[in-house]
Amino acid sequence: MSPHTPAPRTRLSPEQRRSQLLDLGVRLLATRSVDELSIDLLAEEAGISRGLLYHYFGNKHAFHEAVVRRAADDLVSQTAPPVEGDPVHRLLVSVTAYVDYVDANYEGYLSLVRGAASGNETLREIYEDARRALTDRIFEEDPNGNLVPDTPAARLLARGWAAMVEELVLRWKVQPDGVTRDELLALIAGSLPALAQLLPEQQ
């Protein structure tokens, strides 16, 4: 091969290319709602034809579903607590990552929340899967119940706490009213152990 011969291009498999397009869709979703995320926009950003995008995703609804699922998977992955440390520290690290995620991906996250609340079954399923993963890990990551015991009442409490956290963060993002990020994090991380004190004694 002469020194002037261009290096061979690495050819992506269809699955790799689709994954690459999903990553681009997630980045675009960070600053716009699901409805504003069009096939045309992604095709333009990716430098490919609309026809090729339809080849990968089928139709607009399937494209939206795939991008939102990838974004929800990213949320669950990015908020995973560290393996080491006491339960309170690990919870703080996890909720810090959650606040940072919502802060950086506000428009897309808000559209998922609103879409789930509007009765869109697909968005509701994705939202519920993500919420379940976020709350179930509280118990899976702390099998000895050092932070919250694993009881039906505690799991119900964790779901309610997660809804409260979501509302706090979304409201703070728009209207912090002088509440600093550190104050918000302390409020979120401290509220779950405090609420757990109200749980009925295990028999």
Side-chain angles (χ1 to χ4, degrees):
M1 182 182 293
S2 75
H4 301 294
T5 304
R9 294 176 61 183
T10 302
R11 192 169 178 83
L12 297 177
S13 71
E15 191 54 42
Q16 288 172 321
R17 185 58 168 154
R18 186 176 186 276
S19 181
Q20 191 179 64
L21 291 169
L22 284 176
D23 287 339
L24 175 58
V26 169
R27 289 199 298 274
L28 295 172
L29 186 63
T31 54
R32 50 184 55 80
S33 71
V34 174
D35 290 337
E36 293 170 332
L37 186 63
S38 68
I39 290 279
D40 287 336
L41 175 64
L42 188 65
E44 180 181 344
E45 291 287 334
I48 61 175
S49 70
R50 295 171 77 247
L52 190 55
L53 271 175
Y54 281 115
H55 169 73
Y56 281 113
F57 298 105
N59 58 53
K60 183 179 75 172
H61 296 297
F63 163 62
H64 281 171
E65 176 183 343
V67 171
V68 172
R69 281 194 186 280
R70 173 62 66 88
D73 288 345
D74 287 348
L75 167 63
V76 173
S77 174
Q78 291 175 28
T79 56
V83 176
E84 302 296 331
D86 66 82
V88 174
H89 168 73
R90 295 167 75 234
L91 177 64
L92 178 60
V93 172
S94 185
V95 299
T96 299
Y98 173 78
V99 170
D100 289 345
Y101 181 91
V102 175
D103 190 33
N105 300 275
Y106 176 75
E107 294 297 336
Y109 186 81
L110 184 61
S111 68
L112 171 59
V113 173
R114 287 177 172 168
S118 74
N120 181 310
E121 286 302 318
T122 299
L123 290 184
R124 181 157 193 82
E125 178 187 334
I126 295 170
Y127 177 83
E128 287 296 331
D129 285 348
R131 172 64 65 82
R132 190 176 303 110
L134 293 174
T135 55
D136 284 356
R137 77 161 43 132
I138 292 171
F139 304 97
E140 292 163 0
E141 301 284 342
D142 181 28
N144 295 323
N146 294 319
L147 188 66
V148 184
D150 190 356
T151 66
R155 286 185 175 260
L156 180 63
L157 177 68
R159 292 281 296 185
W161 173 78
M164 181 193 77
V165 169
E166 179 178 89
E167 176 64 22
L168 280 172
V169 176
L170 289 175
R171 177 59 62 91
W172 175 82
K173 171 68 175 174
V174 175
Q175 194 172 352
D177 285 335
V179 177
T180 68
R181 176 176 173 276
D182 286 345
E183 289 171 339
L184 176 70
L185 291 171
L187 184 63
I188 293 171
S191 59
L192 181 60
L195 289 169
Q197 299 299 313
L198 304 175
L199 289 167
E201 293 289 333
Q202 292 178 265
Q203 299 299 317

